[in-house]
Amino acid sequence: MYRFSNSVIGCLNLLTLLASVPIIGGGLWMSKSSATCESSLQTPLLVLGFVVLLVSLAGFVGACFNVAWALWLYLLVMLLLIGTLLGLTAFGFAVTAGGGGVQLPGRPYHEYRLDDYTGWLRRRITDRQYWKAAMACVVGSKTCAKIALWTPLDYLQRDLSPIQSGCCKPPTSCTYGAAGVVTAQDEDCYRWNNAANVLCYACDSCKAGVLEQVRRDWHKLSVLNVVVLIFLIAIYSIGCCAFRNARRAESEYPYEENRMSKIRPRWDYFWWRWLRDRREQLY
């Protein structure tokens, strides 16, 4: 059991060390991509890859070669990582509390309203720079082209993704005549256009559809973060045992220095001895 924790930490960090290589490679590959959606992920991927590489290297060296300072650095970074991940997980669950869409009668898909989402998400999506990048992703993905040839019967029988529901068609409540919108309706009804490069990309429903997709992905990520947190806490506990083993290896005493300077008898030692002597005198 003395080396078990060191072996476990060493093996796990060797695996994460090898896993960091494709993460860094993916970030470098995305940096050369012209697609906006991919290039926006390059910085987080590169940062994550290098952090995993350095932390895994410190944990591997410290566990396998009993280097106490490397394990101390490893445990410190792990503690910061656990705290950061815990905060992000709590924030993710709080941000993704709203949304979900409205089920339309007789339709298999939902429609989404911007007001149903939390204020933080609405502020992000209405920011001009952020929405410009998000819109480039939506247009570049050719999501609307997949339903361009649908018939009215298809809309009654087939499901739509949040982005298809919000960006590729007008709201179902809109009513159009030969000259366009015939009565006062939702603002998105006036923003809709049949042109393939216009559609409902300027609609609030499109922003809501993008937010719904983000909310779903973020919620899944938050659930995954809970599993990762449990795993990291378990690894951190084993790492503490490995750090203690490394400290012992640096001392001439393999099980820590004997710090007992003197031995004191129990509080009842003299009283018990006096009773024994008296008994011997009497008998």
Side-chain angles (χ1 to χ4, degrees):
M1 293 297 293
Y2 175 67
R3 294 293 182 183
F4 177 74
S5 58
N6 294 63
S7 301
V8 172
I9 289 295
C11 293
L12 289 175
N13 282 281
L14 178 61
L15 293 176
T16 55
L17 184 67
L18 296 175
S20 66
V21 176
I23 295 176
I24 295 174
L28 293 175
W29 178 78
M30 286 183 179
S31 65
K32 298 180 179 181
S33 176
S34 59
T36 306
C37 299
E38 294 179 351
S39 62
S40 63
L41 297 175
Q42 63 173 339
T43 301
L45 277 178
L46 287 174
V47 171
L48 176 63
F50 280 110
V51 169
V52 171
L53 176 66
L54 296 177
V55 172
S56 301
L57 184 61
F60 179 76
V61 172
C64 294
F65 300 99
N66 286 319
V67 182
W69 67 265
L71 275 176
W72 182 86
L73 178 63
Y74 169 75
L75 292 176
L76 177 62
V77 177
M78 282 284 289
L79 186 62
L80 295 175
L81 182 61
I82 290 173
T84 303
L85 194 59
L86 183 62
L88 289 175
T89 302
F91 179 73
F93 279 116
V95 165
T96 59
V102 178
Q103 178 68 57
L104 299 176
R107 306 283 176 136
Y109 57 84
H110 291 69
E111 286 192 344
Y112 306 93
R113 296 178 300 183
L114 198 58
D115 293 337
D116 293 339
Y117 297 88
T118 58
W120 188 86
L121 283 177
R122 290 201 306 270
R123 287 191 295 271
R124 287 284 293 175
I125 202 67
T126 53
D127 180 80
R128 179 173 297 181
Q129 185 175 1
Y130 184 87
W131 177 240
K132 183 178 180 180
M135 179 54 57
C137 291
V138 173
V139 176
S141 65
K142 301 185 183 302
T143 302
C144 293
K146 299 175 182 178
I147 64 172
L149 300 178
W150 277 21
T151 64
L153 183 60
D154 289 325
Y155 284 96
L156 295 175
Q157 297 177 346
R158 303 172 67 176
D159 197 7
L160 295 171
S161 69
I163 293 178
Q164 288 174 335
S165 176
C167 304
C168 305
K169 66 171 188 61
T172 305
S173 60
C174 294
T175 303
Y176 295 95
V181 180
V182 296
T183 59
Q185 302 181 56
D186 190 286
E187 289 294 328
D188 285 346
C189 298
Y190 300 93
R191 297 178 181 131
W192 162 260
N193 193 295
N194 278 324
N197 61 336
V198 179
L199 299 179
C200 212
Y201 291 138
C203 300
D204 287 344
S205 63
C206 187
K207 294 183 176 68
V210 173
L211 283 186
E212 177 62 22
Q213 191 64 54
V214 171
R215 188 194 71 86
R216 293 181 181 182
D217 295 339
W218 205 341
H219 185 75
K220 294 177 183 177
L221 184 61
S222 298
V223 174
L224 179 61
N225 285 345
V226 173
V227 179
V228 173
L229 270 174
I230 296 174
F231 177 75
L232 288 179
I233 292 173
I235 296 303
Y236 184 80
S237 302
I238 300 174
C240 291
C241 296
F243 176 70
R244 183 179 60 185
N245 293 340
R247 290 290 301 273
R248 287 173 177 173
E250 291 181 350
S251 173
E252 57 179 317
Y253 302 97
Y255 292 97
E256 294 188 349
E257 184 179 354
N258 186 358
R259 302 182 182 276
M260 185 168 58
S261 58
K262 56 185 178 180
I263 300 177
R264 295 181 180 179
R266 291 176 51 183
W267 63 273
D268 58 347
Y269 173 76
F270 295 105
W271 176 251
W272 173 82
R273 186 176 180 180
W274 180 82
L275 287 177
R276 187 190 63 181
D277 293 341
R278 291 291 295 173
R279 189 180 298 111
E280 290 178 354
Q281 292 175 6
L282 292 174
Y283 298 99

